[in-house]
């Protein structure tokens, strides 16, 4: 099998790394990829905003299967274009991808199909009406821009002034363009977050290993929201009774709701959950794998992922089962100076050769470019350092030991991934 992976981040590097190890895989490409992904897949150029160019590329390469990493191509309809051309792709259709592409669509879907989620104070397309609604909400409040905002379209606040300023930036100043034309005001949920991801062919599904990520930039869940500063996976995150509850109240009702609405969903479906005192509630859907959750998940895969993806794309997942390493895994993100604001790019990275030889650690490149033998930063989240061991503290120790060998100007990372979290906190989602 020859597989094309669409994307350029740490999630795509982890996918390419794992797929390359599957026995039936002959070739892996990644488009556009990055400097580090080139060690595990052949990188080819691609404009991620062009679904036609992606289909042209898959046809030219003769890819047996294309797997889409990021959300933007899915929301733009890459699956529809591939289907029209008779090309095999794993990923939901444009309509199905609205579960992530539109917070309003997702909220109405959940309300229509009785899927537990945060109560909504209202959906607004008028800044004035949204500002007036602030007078009658409970605090803390969650404000969500409707469309894709690269993880920056959500505000959790207990300050009316901060909420008003955010609404003005989003709806009047147009900080996120059309993505901010509508906003949702939601009740803030309190509890522990859990990322529960499935691979589905629209009928049957297999569950990925459970993960928990760290969204805030700094230790102790302090600082601004990010795309994710680290994640870990262990079976202890998901006791059998909790998983049963998630399946019965969230996963199966979602799949049934999609079927009832006439939506054929094939691909990865991410449930961002808040484990509240009243049970698990959905913060958000993602129409793809998470990042950096994927890095932690791929370290625990103990089955033929390529075959599972192919059968899901064909609509024939059937009774295929996923086998997972009983070990615990972790991924810690090393980020550029300035992230999650404006990151410093073009900064040389040292220590990768030495750290790459460290037993027990795997380095996933998220935003690097390579010039000769030197790697340079090319974005905010630069590297994901992953490790797996029988115990989470041991995996964490290997991970941070490897990080100590890597250097680039102004880098920062969280030191408490997988080891320290607040007992309760307000939901932030993406």
């Amino acid at each position: 099998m020859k597989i094309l992976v669409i994307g350029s981040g740490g999630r795509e590097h982890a996918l390419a790394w794992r797929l390359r190890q599957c026995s039936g895989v002959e070739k892996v490409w990644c488009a556009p990829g990055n400097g580090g992904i080139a060690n595990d897949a052949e990188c080819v150029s691609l404009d991620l905003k062009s679904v036609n160019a992606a289909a042209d590329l898959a046809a030219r390469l003769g890819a047996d299967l294309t797997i889409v990493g990021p959300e933007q191509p899915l929301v733009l309809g890459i699956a529809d274009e591939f289907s029209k051309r008779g090309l095999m792709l794993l990923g939901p259709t444009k309509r199905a991808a609205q579960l992530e592409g539109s917070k309003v669509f997702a909220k109405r879907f959940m309300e229509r199909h009785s899927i537990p989620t945060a109560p909504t104070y209202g959906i607004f397309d008028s800044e004035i009406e949204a500002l007036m609604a602030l007078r009658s909400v409970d605090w803390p409040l969650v404000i969500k821009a409707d469309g894709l905002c690269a993880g920056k379209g959500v505000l959790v606040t207990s300050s009316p002034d901060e909420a008003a300023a955010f609404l003005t930036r989003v709806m009047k100043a147009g900080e996120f363009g059309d993505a901010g034309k509508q906003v949702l005001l939601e009740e803030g949920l309190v509890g522990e977050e859990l990322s529960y991801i499935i691979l589905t062919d629209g009928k049957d599904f297999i569950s990925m290993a459970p993960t928990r990520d760290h969204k805030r930039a700094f230790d102790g869940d302090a600082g601004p929201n990010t795309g994710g500063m680290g994640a870990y996976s262990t079976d202890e995150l998901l006791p059998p009774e909790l998983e049963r509850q998630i399946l019965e109240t969230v996963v199966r009702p979602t799949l049934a709701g999609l079927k009832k609405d006439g939506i054929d969903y094939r691909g990865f479906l991410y449930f961002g959950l808040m484990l509240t005192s009243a049970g698990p509630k959905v913060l958000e859907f993602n129409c793809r794998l998470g990042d950096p959750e994927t890095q932690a998940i791929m370290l625990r895969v103990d089955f033929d992922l390529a075959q599972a993806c192919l059968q899901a794309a064909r609509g024939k997942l059937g009774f295929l089962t996923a086998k997972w390493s009983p070990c615990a895994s972790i991924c810690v993100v090393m980020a550029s100076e300035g992230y999650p604001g404006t990151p410093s790019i073009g900064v040389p990275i040292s220590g990768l050769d030495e750290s790459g030889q460290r037993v027990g650690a795997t380095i996933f490149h998220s935003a690097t470019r390579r010039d000769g033998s030197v790697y340079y930063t090319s974005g905010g989240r630069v590297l994901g350092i992953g490790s797996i061991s029988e115990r989470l503290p041991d995996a964490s120790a290997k991970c941070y030991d490897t990080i100590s060998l890597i250097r680039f100007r102004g880098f920062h990372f969280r030191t408490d991934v997988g080891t320290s979290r607040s007992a309760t906190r307000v939901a932030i989602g993406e």
Side-chain angles (χ1 to χ4, degrees):
M1 189 182 350
K2 294 178 288 185
I3 301 176
L4 170 62
V5 176
I6 301 291
S8 62
R11 166 184 47 222
E12 289 74 41
H13 191 179
L15 276 169
W17 171 80
R18 176 54 67 188
L19 290 167
R20 189 172 63 90
Q21 299 173 50
C22 296
S23 60
V25 173
E26 172 188 349
K27 179 77 175 183
V28 179
W29 297 277
C30 190
N34 65 43
I37 292 177
N39 295 321
D40 289 294
E42 180 182 342
C43 293
V44 289
S45 62
L46 177 68
D47 178 0
L48 290 175
K49 295 180 181 179
S50 175
V51 299
N52 287 319
D56 289 343
L57 177 63
R60 177 169 60 82
L61 294 175
D64 299 302
L65 174 66
T66 297
I67 301 174
V68 183
E71 64 275 15
Q72 186 179 50
L74 294 166
V75 172
L76 290 174
I78 189 173
D80 306 77
E81 182 63 25
F82 272 60
S83 178
K84 185 170 67 176
R85 301 198 195 186
L87 299 169
M88 189 67 66
L89 178 139
L90 180 68
T93 63
K94 183 176 183 178
R95 185 184 176 202
Q98 288 184 87
L99 283 176
E100 178 170 5
S102 170
K103 299 293 190 298
V104 172
F105 177 91
K107 180 62 67 172
R108 288 173 175 162
F109 174 87
M110 286 186 278
E111 291 174 347
R112 186 165 62 251
H113 298 292
S114 301
I115 296 164
T117 185
T120 304
Y121 295 113
I123 297 170
F124 304 92
D125 55 16
S126 162
E127 180 202 5
I128 294 176
E129 292 180 1
L131 289 170
M132 291 178 62
L134 295 180
R135 301 174 182 175
S136 56
V137 302
D138 293 327
W139 304 89
L141 174 71
V142 180
I143 306 175
K144 295 181 178 180
D146 176 46
L148 297 177
C149 303
K152 299 177 182 179
V154 176
L155 174 72
V156 181
T157 182
S158 295
S159 165
D161 289 341
E162 186 179 24
F166 182 78
L167 288 171
T168 298
R169 283 165 40 210
V170 172
M171 305 190 77
K172 184 176 182 180
E175 183 173 322
F176 304 122
D178 289 347
K181 284 187 174 181
Q182 282 189 310
V183 298
L184 293 81
L185 303 187
E186 292 183 357
E187 177 183 309
L189 298 178
V190 176
E192 277 285 279
E193 289 192 43
L194 181 73
S195 300
Y196 194 90
I197 307 172
I198 65 170
L199 172 63
T200 180
D201 63 1
K203 306 180 295 293
D204 300 309
F205 67 91
I206 57 176
S207 298
M208 300 292 103
T211 51
R212 177 168 288 148
D213 72 339
H214 299 249
K215 292 291 188 190
R216 298 290 186 176
F218 308 123
D219 288 4
D221 289 327
N225 192 26
T226 74
M229 292 298 293
Y232 66 102
S233 175
T234 169
D235 289 342
E236 294 176 5
L237 284 171
L238 195 64
E241 177 57 28
L242 175 58
E243 182 165 32
R244 183 197 63 77
Q245 192 175 16
I246 291 170
L247 292 174
E248 289 185 0
T249 65
V250 174
V251 175
R252 292 193 176 99
T254 297
L255 294 178
L258 289 167
K259 184 177 181 180
K260 186 175 181 179
D261 289 351
I263 298 175
D264 182 18
Y265 194 109
R266 300 185 188 186
F268 292 101
L269 180 54
Y270 172 117
F271 300 86
L273 303 176
M274 181 61 82
L275 306 179
T276 75
S277 58
K281 295 188 178 183
V282 178
L283 299 174
E284 62 178 349
F285 294 112
N286 288 338
C287 58
R288 37 71 188 186
L289 285 162
D291 186 344
E293 291 96 333
T294 302
Q295 292 87 309
I297 289 171
M298 291 300 115
L299 288 167
R300 294 189 62 194
V301 168
D302 193 18
F303 63 99
D304 194 323
L305 179 68
Q307 277 299 319
C309 290
L310 179 63
Q311 295 308 320
R314 286 175 170 170
K316 299 180 179 179
L317 194 56
F319 296 102
L320 189 148
T321 57
K323 183 180 178 183
W324 302 96
S325 165
C327 294
S329 61
I330 186 172
C331 175
V332 177
V333 170
M334 298 183 70
S336 291
E337 182 179 18
Y339 180 78
T342 302
S344 297
I345 61 174
V347 179
I349 305 168
S350 64
L352 285 175
D353 288 339
E354 182 181 0
S355 60
Q357 299 171 5
R358 184 61 59 95
V359 176
T362 304
I363 300 174
F364 299 112
H365 289 241
S366 298
T368 66
R369 66 174 179 86
R370 186 174 181 175
D371 186 358
S373 61
V374 180
Y375 289 94
Y376 298 86
T377 65
S378 62
R381 292 186 294 170
V382 178
L383 301 167
I385 313 304
S387 185
I388 184 168
S389 191
E390 289 185 6
R391 299 173 60 252
L392 184 59
D394 296 333
S396 178
K398 292 179 184 178
C399 181
Y400 285 109
D401 187 35
T402 301
I403 288 175
S404 70
L405 303 175
I406 302 171
R407 289 289 181 271
F408 52 95
R409 188 187 70 241
F411 74 94
H412 65 98
F413 60 93
R414 284 187 58 160
T415 65
D416 62 349
V417 176
T419 59
S420 174
R421 286 182 63 86
S422 302
T424 61
R425 65 187 187 89
V426 177
I428 55 176
E430 281 278 2

